[in-house]
Amino acid sequence: MHDFKYVGGQLFCESVSVEGLARKFGTPLYVYSQKTLTDHFHKLDRAMAGVPHRICFAVKSNGNVSILRVLANLGGGFDIVSAGELGRVLAAGGNPANCVFAGAGKTEAEIEFALEQGVYSFNVESVPELDRIHRIAGRRKKIAPVAMRINPDVEAFTHSKITTGTHENKFGIPLEDVEAVYARAAKMKNLRLRGVQMHIGSQLTRVSPFEKAVRKVLPMVRRLAETYELEFFSIGGGLGIVYQPALASGQEEWWRLPGARDILTPQKYAASLLPLLQPLGLNILLEPGRFISGNAGVLIARVEYVKKTARKTFVIVDAAMNDLIRPAFYDAYHEIVPVRRRTGATLKADVVGGICESGDYFCKDRRIAQIREGDCLALLSAGAYGFVMASNYNARPLPAEVLVNGRKFALARRRQVVEEIWSGETIVPWLK
Ligand SMILES: *Cc1c(COP(=O)(O)O)cnc(C)c1O
């Protein structure tokens, strides 16, 4: 699952001591394992070997240019949702011809930039967007490759903030309208109909919603592929990962935990989808983000205070919701383990940041290992939707990021200097 393990009571990322990294680079600190990234990419790649396919990593889950370079070197493409993300892919040395451009709000400037760079496909989410892409392509005397994003209206059984494939959501074109939109697009001479796409949500822990969605759209995809000579069918991302306790319970073999058998593995995913996808004869695109990056990263925080009140214990750390917002935003669970194990009774505590928001917590009333002021804690599975959602709230600098590969480690992003936070601000003339 990942390459963060205890060796002699000390947490290691691959062959590197996490405490050593915290000492060298300071905290809060994101630490990523190149091996975990690579393993997860290969697991999915191998599982899908039965169909021609391409894995397009969802840049929004972790956009660090070193992470993107790792995936580009593995032969991956990218799923981007903004011109900024396309810029990141270019900065990482990725190939725009392997990028699919999603998102319901593409601006004129973004479409122009993506067209200029030659993305593989615009995944279109509405008729006005289709019209806009066509207009811009005409103006630029180019042919824009497009695919419609189908909203199949299936329940994903995940958190409401990460459900995207029902008619309650803003995403995609309703199933019943899709064929008419293709017919309309086919008449636009500056468009090339290249494929068809869907994405039903994130952190799915069962294969049934994926299967249901694919079954539901399959007859239409087959018709569209034949009529318009499409090249690809993208089944989106959304594969869930294990967040629940493994290391903390002393149980490092997470697959032996109760419930672990229900975890969605690439094998299960492929076993249920390949028989449906194979007969299509299309290139299958996958857009996983979290599955590749989630377990590949941890956030290291140092304990500032252990504050005991009559009713509770608060472990106040130097990371906060601005560094990792998932608990506050999605009620997300992150396993929290000490970087150096101490003997002694566990304690029941809230692990919190120092921000003036009651939402600023990482866990509540949880049994955690014995720790003291000055110790480091690791928040596991923070590689996806972690740093990318970090902000400067409370004028806190963005944390540093480190990539580990075997015995090697290096900064993938230096810690933000505090003055950089307001460097774009000015005192307006009449106040000077
Ligand atoms: C967010 C997103 C993904 C990736 O989702 P994960 O759950 O991280 O795999 C893939 N495709 C689209 C269109 C997305 O918006």
Side-chain angles (χ1 to χ4, degrees):
M1 178 176 75
H2 59 66
D3 294 275
F4 296 89
K5 294 201 174 69
Y6 283 111
V7 181
Q10 279 240 50
L11 189 65
F12 273 68
C13 174
E14 302 189 27
S15 303
V16 176
S17 149
V18 170
E19 188 154 284
L21 293 175
R23 220 177 299 123
K24 191 168 173 67
F25 300 111
T27 51
L29 180 70
Y30 276 94
V31 178
Y32 306 119
S33 159
Q34 184 169 335
K35 181 164 183 297
T36 307
L37 285 169
T38 306
D39 283 354
H40 286 184
F41 182 92
H42 282 148
K43 272 182 192 155
L44 191 56
D45 201 31
R46 274 198 299 268
M48 295 299 289
V51 286
H53 66 277
R54 164 161 270 138
I55 297 177
C56 295
F57 175 66
V59 174
K60 77 172 187 284
S61 74
N62 189 322
N64 184 284
V65 292
S66 280
I67 303 276
L68 300 185
R69 175 69 75 106
V70 168
L71 291 156
N73 287 350
L74 293 170
F78 298 96
D79 169 44
I80 55 169
V81 294
S82 68
E85 286 192 352
L86 179 53
R88 281 192 170 282
V89 170
L90 297 172
N95 184 354
N98 293 337
C99 287
V100 289
F101 189 3
K106 301 177 190 78
T107 66
E108 295 246 349
E110 287 182 314
I111 293 165
E112 276 178 13
F113 180 55
L115 197 57
E116 219 48 58
Q117 293 299 325
V119 296
Y120 178 64
S121 176
F122 288 89
N123 292 343
V124 177
E125 307 225 15
S126 66
V127 171
E129 180 192 331
L130 186 72
D131 292 347
R132 180 182 280 185
I133 294 171
H134 182 240
R135 209 168 49 238
I136 294 170
R139 199 160 69 210
R140 293 264 170 154
K141 300 196 172 33
K142 292 206 171 228
I143 305 292
V146 296
M148 309 310 152
R149 175 172 179 175
I150 305 181
N151 184 327
D153 194 28
V154 298
E155 186 51 60
F157 298 105
T158 183
H159 193 277
S160 64
K161 286 203 175 116
I162 47 179
T163 293
T164 60
T166 78
H167 285 179
E168 289 295 305
N169 310 121
K170 67 184 174 190
F171 302 98
I173 296 165
L175 190 59
E176 57 272 22
D177 301 343
V178 170
E179 279 175 295
V181 177
Y182 272 87
R184 179 192 177 102
K187 296 195 199 105
M188 300 176 161
K189 59 184 192 310
N190 288 89
L191 297 184
R192 166 176 176 195
L193 297 177
R194 189 160 231 174
V196 53
Q197 196 266 357
M198 73 176 179
H199 171 73
I200 58 172
S202 195
Q203 184 54 15
L204 273 68
T205 51
R206 288 191 275 164
V207 76
S208 49
F210 289 115
E211 190 180 330
K212 197 168 163 192
V214 170
R215 279 189 195 280
K216 195 164 173 185
V217 304
L218 208 56
M220 183 186 287
V221 171
R222 202 176 297 121
R223 277 198 302 276
L224 292 170
E226 278 169 15
T227 313
Y228 303 110
E229 293 173 28
L230 303 183
E231 244 174 54
F232 78 89
F233 175 30
S234 171
I235 56 174
L239 282 105
I241 61 165
V242 180
Y243 283 100
Q244 292 295 323
L247 268 181
S249 59
Q251 172 61 279
E252 281 164 41
E253 294 175 323
W254 62 274
W255 57 88
R256 290 192 209 284
L257 288 168
R261 245 170 301 135
D262 303 330
I263 293 303
L264 179 54
T265 61
Q267 288 80 359
K268 280 191 217 169
Y269 179 78
S272 106
L273 300 184
L274 284 184
L276 301 173
L277 300 173
Q278 265 157 347
L280 281 175
L282 291 174
N283 197 20
I284 302 300
L285 262 54
L286 300 118
E287 304 164 359
R290 189 191 315 265
F291 176 77
I292 289 175
S293 58
N295 290 143
V298 303
L299 173 62
I300 309 301
R302 200 174 283 282
V303 176
E304 294 288 350
Y305 302 101
V306 179
K307 171 176 169 180
K308 298 197 171 167
T309 68
R311 307 180 63 173
K312 292 190 64 119
T313 301
F314 296 96
V315 173
I316 304 169
V317 298
D318 65 359
M321 66 187 290
N322 72 296
D323 302 300
L324 177 66
I325 204 172
R326 298 190 66 259
F329 194 37
Y330 303 116
D331 309 307
Y333 180 101
H334 284 275
E335 197 179 338
I336 301 176
V337 301
V339 166
R340 177 193 292 271
R341 273 177 171 162
R342 293 194 183 280
T343 51
T346 58
L347 55 151
K348 195 173 178 191
D350 290 14
V351 176
V352 302
I355 290 181
C356 304
E357 293 278 349
S358 44
D360 182 28
Y361 62 87
F362 294 122
C363 70
K364 285 191 165 170
D365 292 320
R366 194 185 298 172
R367 284 241 154 253
I368 60 166
Q370 182 61 241
I371 42 104
R372 293 182 210 152
E373 195 177 304
D375 283 0
C376 282
L377 293 176
L379 290 100
L380 304 188
S381 309
Y385 308 104
F387 183 91
V388 283
M389 288 190 171
S391 77
N392 286 129
Y393 189 38
N394 280 22
R396 293 166 53 91
L398 296 175
E401 297 174 285
V402 166
L403 183 66
V404 172
N405 180 26
R407 292 173 187 288
K408 291 192 284 230
F409 59 86
L411 269 184
R413 180 190 180 105
R414 64 164 171 78
R415 186 173 305 284
Q416 192 178 28
V417 176
V418 73
E419 288 81 3
E420 287 177 287
I421 296 175
W422 57 84
S423 64
E425 300 173 22
T426 44
I427 293 169
V428 295
W430 65 88
L431 295 177
K432 280 185 183 156

